[in-house]
């Protein structure tokens, strides 16, 4: 609900008394930072309509406090200003219930010093914010035409040795600056680097684009930036926003800042092409085109990353160029530039109504260059961050862009109530919380991109197969349609992978589509050549009855996908009832696969057991490689040759890790062979009802860098 003057006395009537203690202090600026924190009753600062928002000031050192100044604002407009006095401990300084989407910032400042403050921000129903500009129906066609015109000019690429970096920092790194001609305006200029020993077709692209400004170090393309990224395994590209020369004396950039590029963000325009950011986007695209010509690119993965103005560029490129697979936009500018049309604050550069309408083309030009409209075209994985107290890129504007990204494969929006526009200005007392709640999630996204993201789905067109993968391997758990058909397949199936990007969906689509391309054969990215049948397959657990017989679980009956994001796939499976010692038992499994992890975590529980029950974890052994296994008190390891084209598949490695320790482990033959399956490598344990039971399983492949069973077993041991 909107605040009205008539409501102010009722909604914001907070009067507080002094806390009279023996000592006293004057709450000046430095003491405000040290002694007071603003807290919310929701840690992320995100509320639903009708939910009570409570802002509390925590006074950490008690004494007789001087008054402080309270201000509540929304979209840059002050709604409430008053002087209050804090008491020792926690004091509620503001509370409200909103029935409409809104973004608020609550500030405390020392009385008489409004320029120094601590702040906290929150949003109500942020999922309802939408861009002020309507997405143009021909947006993709518009930019396809611009790209076609750009590419009609043959690229002339000049390269130059890296400068401003020590030679030892370039050990093993190919690094150089480049310049590429453009149809108009400054050339595309930047830096590029990659590992010198990278094999052709192996590296993902990481394109870094810059925040607003001209003369600071973070406005310039730098050899050190791309070299650092190359050491992590990227084909790294850094393009400066303005087409400036690289590695120039500081006076060069200062002169540009004070002269040619002064006020560039607010320049008037009379057509699409003379809108300043039009050519900025085209320069980015020109540099990206060049990077994709390099033999080391894997031909699949492209990530664009930027903050503020760079975040806006990242959203724009993700929408314009269909090749972009991943986008990281941190507090993006150039996003929801028409927010003022809906009564909100525009995204930077914060056009006013008058400025938007200064030509008849104004709204149209901006709509074709707005990150909030362009991201609607993006079909990859999106990661964005919001600063709840950001006065430059309004939180509601960022949310509007995120909400308009409706075609993405996955998306994640991270809020932080105490983040201003620049993360370096976050209260030092909150740095650990910032690292845990924000930086770790961002790094997880980058890690998923570099090492291979997670993905999973249920294939109802293939007998309810549940498939999932990360950059190392893929897996399959058989579903109810297979059980209804009478086929016996109890354990996990394994899909080998030799590439880090997702392939299983494409494999199934091609196998089940008109092409009929079998996923049981390697077409350059891996295959399913693993035999399961009526066995434990690649690491399934099963109960053991009083006669010592394995009670196989068969197929899952219900599946709830808990998370399906680039950084994690998690699914809860409920299995068909089985009979164990005369009791009907239902198994529940929570399977979690993280990006960058060799192993799946499995958390098991059973309904219907009345006491401790033997349980085992196992991997099937086939007759083609009967002695290629290992077992100790915590690790099971098997090398398998596959169930077809034996000798041509390399070795498929399977593993189980049980940190709690097996009671016993080793090879045990089947009572009678099941096809090529002759036995299992088993680890025995005891399941106790009501207590957690957790183990890990996973797989690898000799054609994906694992050099033998001993090396695979060492990998498993090192994961303990």
């Amino acid at each position: 609900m909107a605040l009205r003057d008539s409501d102010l006395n009722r909604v914001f009537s907070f009067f507080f008394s002094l806390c009279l203690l023996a000592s006293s202090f004057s709450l000046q600026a430095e003491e405000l930072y040290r002694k007071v924190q603003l807290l919310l009753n929701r840690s992320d600062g995100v509320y639903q309509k009708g939910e009570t928002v409570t802002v509390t000031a925590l006074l950490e050192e008690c004494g007789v406090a001087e008054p402080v100044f309270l201000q509540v604002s929304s979209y840059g407009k002050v709604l409430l200003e008053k002087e209050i006095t804090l008491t020792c401990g926690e004091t509620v300084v503001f509370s409200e219930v909103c029935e409409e989407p809104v973004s608020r910032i609550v500030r405390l400042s020392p009385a008489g010093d409004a320029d120094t403050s601590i702040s906290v921000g929150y949003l109500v129903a942020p999922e309802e914010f939408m861009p002020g500009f309507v997405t143009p129906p021909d947006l993709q066609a518009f930019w396809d035409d611009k790209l076609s015109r750009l590419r009609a000019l043959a690229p002339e690429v000049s390269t130059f040795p890296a400068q401003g970096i020590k030679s030892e920092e370039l050990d093993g790194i190919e690094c150089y600056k480049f310049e590429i001609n453009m149809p108009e305006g400054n050339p595309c200029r930047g830096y590029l680097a990659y590992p010198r020993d990278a094999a052709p077709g192996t590296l993902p692209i990481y394109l870094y684009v810059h925040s607003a400004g001209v003369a600071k170090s973070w406005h310039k393309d730098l050899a050190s930036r791309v070299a650092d990224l190359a050491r992590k395994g990227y084909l790294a590209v850094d393009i400066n926003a303005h087409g400036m020369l690289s590695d120039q004396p500081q006076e060069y950039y200062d002169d540009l800042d004070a002269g040619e590029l002064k006020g560039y963000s607010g320049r008037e325009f009379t057509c699409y092409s003379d809108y300043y950011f039009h050519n900025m986007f085209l320069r980015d695209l020109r540099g990206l085109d060049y990077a994709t010509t390099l033999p080391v690119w894997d031909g699949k993965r492209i990530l664009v990353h930027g903050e503020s103005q760079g975040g806006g560029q990242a959203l724009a490129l993700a929408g314009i160029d269909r090749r972009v697979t991943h986008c990281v936009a941190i507090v993006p500018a150039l996003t929801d530039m028409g927010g003022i049309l809906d009564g909100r604050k525009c995204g930077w550069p914060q056009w006013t109504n008058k400025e938007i309408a200064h030509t008849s083309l104004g709204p149209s030009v901006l709509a074709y260059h707005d990150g909030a409209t362009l991201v609607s075209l993006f079909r990859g994985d999106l990661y964005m961050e919001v600063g709840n107290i950001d006065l430059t890129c309004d939180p509601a504007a960022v949310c509007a862009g995120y909400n308009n990204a409706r075609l993405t494969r996955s998306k994640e929006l991270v809020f932080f109530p105490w983040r201003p526009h620049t993360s370096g200005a976050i209260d030092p007392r909150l740095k650990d919380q910032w690292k845990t709640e924000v930086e770790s999630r961002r790094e997880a996204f980058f890690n998923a991109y570099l090492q291979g993201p997670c993905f999973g789905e249920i294939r109802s067109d293939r007998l309810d197969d549940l498939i999932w993968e990360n950059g190392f391997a893929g897996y399959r758990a058989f579903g109810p349609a297979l059980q209804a058909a009478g086929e016996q397949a109890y354990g996990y199936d394994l899909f080998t992978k030799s590439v880090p990007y997702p392939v299983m969906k494409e494999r199934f689509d091609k196998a089940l589509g008109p092409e009929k391309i079998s996923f049981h054969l390697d077409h350059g990215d891996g295959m399913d050549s693993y035999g399961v049948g009526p066995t434990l397959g690649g690491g399934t657990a099963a109960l053991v009855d009083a006669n010592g017989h394995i009670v196989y679980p068969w197929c899952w009956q219900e599946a709830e996908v808990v998370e399906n994001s680039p950084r994690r796939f998690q699914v809860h499976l409920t299995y068909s009832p089985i009979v164990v010692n005369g009791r009907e038992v239902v198994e529940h499994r929570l399977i979690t696969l993280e990006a960058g992890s060799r192993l799946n975590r499995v958390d098991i529980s059973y309904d219907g057991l009345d006491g401790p029950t033997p349980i085992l974890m196992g991997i099937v052994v086939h007759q083609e490689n009967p002695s290629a296994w290992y077992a100790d008190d915590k690790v099971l390891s098997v090398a398998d040759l596959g169930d077809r084209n034996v000798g041509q598949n390399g070795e498929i490695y399977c593993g189980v890790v049980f940190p709690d320790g097996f009671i016993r482990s080793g090879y045990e033959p089947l009572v009678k062979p099941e096809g090529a399956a002759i036995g299992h490598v088993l680890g025995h344990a005891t399941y106790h009802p009501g207590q957690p039971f957790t183990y890990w399983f996973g797989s690898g492949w000799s054609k994906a860098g694992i050099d033998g069973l001993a090396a695979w077993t060492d990998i498993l041991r090192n994961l303990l």
Side-chain angles (χ1 to χ4, degrees):
M1 73 181 172
L3 288 172
R4 299 169 299 189
D5 291 341
S6 60
D7 295 328
L8 291 179
N9 289 334
R10 177 175 57 85
V11 179
F12 305 126
S13 57
F14 294 99
F15 294 95
F16 306 102
S17 61
L18 294 173
C19 179
L20 300 176
L21 299 175
S23 61
S24 67
F25 65 89
S26 178
L27 199 59
Q28 300 303 313
E30 66 278 4
E31 293 174 315
L32 182 72
Y33 283 122
R34 190 179 79 249
K35 297 179 179 180
V36 181
Q37 288 192 63
L38 281 173
L39 308 174
L40 294 166
N41 56 327
R42 288 189 64 91
S43 61
D44 61 355
V46 176
Y47 298 82
Q48 296 306 306
K49 290 185 291 188
E51 190 175 359
T52 299
V53 180
T54 303
V55 184
T56 303
L58 173 62
L59 182 57
E60 297 176 312
E61 295 183 25
C62 296
V64 178
E66 293 293 331
V68 294
F69 196 69
L70 170 68
Q71 182 188 86
V72 180
S73 62
S74 189
Y75 314 127
K77 299 176 181 178
V78 176
L79 305 175
L80 171 70
E81 291 181 312
K82 67 183 303 180
E83 197 173 88
I84 64 173
T85 304
L86 303 182
T87 59
C88 181
E90 294 188 0
T91 300
V92 174
V93 298
F94 180 71
S95 183
E96 70 168 329
V97 175
C98 291
E99 299 296 343
E100 295 178 1
V102 72
S103 172
R104 299 264 200 259
I105 296 176
V106 178
R107 301 173 64 204
L108 287 182
S109 56
D113 185 9
D115 293 333
T116 302
S117 66
I118 59 172
S119 303
V120 70
Y122 61 89
L123 296 95
V124 177
E127 69 280 1
E128 295 188 20
F129 291 116
M130 293 303 294
F133 292 134
V134 175
T135 301
D138 65 338
L139 185 60
Q140 186 73 70
F142 173 88
W143 279 104
D144 284 348
D145 176 67
K146 303 305 177 188
L147 273 173
S148 178
R149 293 170 184 266
L150 174 67
R151 291 165 179 165
L153 177 67
E156 297 175 1
V157 182
S158 300
T159 61
F160 310 91
Q163 294 178 246
I165 188 169
K166 296 177 181 178
S167 58
E168 56 266 29
E169 295 181 62
L170 294 178
D171 286 348
I173 302 296
E174 186 70 25
C175 180
Y176 56 86
K177 55 184 171 182
F178 62 86
E179 180 178 308
I180 312 173
N181 60 325
M182 293 288 294
E184 54 185 296
N186 285 343
C188 168
R189 292 183 172 118
Y191 261 100
L192 184 146
Y194 57 87
R196 193 170 287 128
D197 61 355
T202 59
L203 299 184
I205 289 174
Y206 185 128
L207 172 59
Y208 181 80
V209 285
H210 287 259
S211 57
V214 177
K216 303 298 184 183
S217 61
W218 54 88
H219 303 140
K220 306 168 188 175
D221 52 298
L222 299 173
S224 58
R225 184 178 292 116
V226 291
D228 287 344
L229 291 169
R231 274 189 287 275
K232 295 178 180 179
Y234 294 108
L235 166 53
V237 188
D238 178 357
I239 298 174
N240 77 65
H242 309 291
M244 304 180 296
L245 292 170
S246 307
D247 304 313
Q248 299 301 299
Q250 183 60 39
E251 292 79 8
Y252 167 81
Y253 301 103
D254 292 339
D255 289 346
L256 285 176
D257 195 20
E260 180 183 333
L261 294 178
K262 183 177 181 179
Y264 69 86
S265 64
R267 289 181 181 173
E268 292 192 0
F269 49 88
T270 58
C271 62
Y272 298 97
S273 61
D274 72 356
Y275 177 55
Y276 186 81
F277 294 98
H278 184 82
N279 278 333
M280 184 184 293
F281 294 172
L282 291 176
R283 280 191 291 270
D284 294 338
L285 293 161
R286 189 69 150 176
L288 183 55
D289 277 354
Y290 169 60
T292 61
T293 67
L294 300 182
V296 292
W297 179 45
D298 67 16
K300 291 278 188 178
R301 293 174 292 166
I302 298 175
L303 178 146
V304 185
H305 168 214
E307 183 169 335
S308 191
Q309 175 186 273
Q313 292 175 80
L315 294 178
L317 268 61
I320 294 169
D321 195 325
R322 294 177 179 88
R323 298 171 300 179
V324 176
T325 57
H326 294 72
C327 176
V328 176
I330 310 300
V331 291
L334 304 171
T335 299
D336 194 26
M337 292 185 287
I340 197 168
L341 303 178
D342 282 348
R344 303 190 307 272
K345 190 177 182 180
C346 288
W348 182 91
Q350 299 173 359
W351 299 97
T352 66
N353 265 318
K354 181 179 179 181
E355 289 168 332
I356 287 176
H358 71 263
T359 74
S360 59
L361 275 177
S364 177
V365 168
L366 295 178
Y368 282 90
H369 296 82
D370 193 324
T373 57
L374 285 163
V375 75
S376 69
L377 305 174
F378 182 46
R379 296 177 179 271
D381 297 322
L382 175 64
Y383 176 90
M384 295 176 64
E385 290 176 14
V386 176
N388 291 23
I389 58 172
D390 192 337
L391 300 178
T392 303
C393 297
D394 193 86
V398 177
C399 292
Y402 178 83
N403 295 336
N404 205 33
R406 301 171 179 176
L407 300 178
T408 53
R409 181 170 53 196
S410 72
K411 62 179 184 175
E412 181 177 8
L413 182 62
V414 181
F415 298 85
F416 196 68
W418 303 274
R419 180 195 171 128
H421 188 60
T422 303
S423 61
I426 292 173
D427 187 332
R429 295 172 297 179
L430 300 170
K431 286 294 186 180
D432 287 344
Q433 185 176 347
W434 162 259
K435 290 177 180 179
T436 300
E437 297 179 5
V438 182
E439 285 188 345
S440 64
R441 295 171 72 172
R442 188 193 309 170
E443 286 307 309
F445 186 89
F446 284 126
N447 181 59
Y449 172 67
L450 182 61
Q451 299 195 25
C454 296
F455 174 77
E457 66 177 354
I458 297 171
R459 298 297 301 227
S460 58
D461 55 350
R462 178 53 177 80
L463 297 173
D464 295 332
D465 285 351
L466 169 67
I467 61 173
W468 71 101
E469 66 181 308
N470 67 4
F472 289 123
Y475 305 90
R476 172 164 57 166
F478 300 105
L482 186 78
Q483 183 168 331
E487 184 175 340
Q488 293 180 318
Y490 302 143
Y492 298 121
D493 194 13
L494 308 177
F495 283 69
T496 62
K497 289 185 66 174
S498 56
V499 295
Y501 47 81
V503 295
M504 290 189 70
K505 177 178 175 58
E506 182 178 357
R507 288 181 187 177
F508 272 72
D509 288 346
K510 288 182 176 179
L512 301 173
E515 303 102 318
K516 303 299 180 187
I517 299 175
S518 173
F519 52 62
H520 295 297
L521 302 175
D522 182 13
H523 299 283
D525 55 17
M527 61 184 171
D528 171 18
S529 182
Y530 187 75
V532 179
T535 74
L536 296 175
T540 306
L543 295 172
V544 180
D545 67 17
N547 297 316
H549 297 145
I550 299 174
V551 185
Y552 290 100
W554 211 336
C555 299
W556 59 265
Q557 288 299 302
E558 298 178 8
E560 177 191 0
V561 176
V562 179
E563 182 173 349
N564 191 8
S565 71
R567 63 178 181 169
R568 181 183 299 114
F569 177 78
Q570 187 175 68
V571 62
H572 180 265
L573 301 177
T574 301
Y575 278 73
S576 302
I578 55 176
V579 177
V580 181
N581 301 328
R583 300 179 66 90
E584 186 174 272
V585 175
V586 175
E587 178 185 354
H588 301 276
R589 294 184 205 170
L590 182 66
I591 302 172
T592 306
L593 180 63
E594 304 272 354
S597 174
R598 284 283 185 185
L599 302 178
N600 297 264
R601 171 177 171 145
V602 186
D603 295 279
I604 298 178
S605 64
Y606 294 93
D607 298 334
L609 293 175
D610 61 349
T613 304
I615 190 172
L616 50 76
M617 295 135 276
I619 304 169
V620 66
V621 175
H622 293 102
Q623 63 186 9
E624 292 84 0
N625 214 21
S627 59
W629 59 269
Y630 171 87
D632 62 25
D633 62 334
K634 294 182 179 180
V635 170
L636 310 177
S637 181
V638 171
D640 195 277
L641 298 179
D643 63 353
R644 63 198 72 202
N645 299 326
V646 175
Q648 302 175 37
N649 302 320
E651 287 190 322
I652 304 167
Y653 302 111
C654 320
V656 167
V657 174
F658 185 51
D660 290 345
F662 302 119
I663 296 172
R664 69 179 190 278
S665 65
Y667 174 77
E668 298 181 26
L670 295 173
V671 175
K672 65 174 184 177
E674 295 286 354
I678 58 173
H680 290 104
V681 176
L682 298 174
H684 292 260
T686 302
Y687 173 79
H688 297 272
Q691 296 183 17
F693 189 92
T694 302
Y695 76 99
W696 280 259
F697 79 94
S699 70
W701 194 23
S702 62
K703 292 187 177 183
I706 298 176
D707 188 19
L709 180 61
W712 170 246
T713 304
D714 285 343
I715 290 172
L716 298 177
R717 284 202 198 98
N718 290 334
L719 294 174
L720 284 168

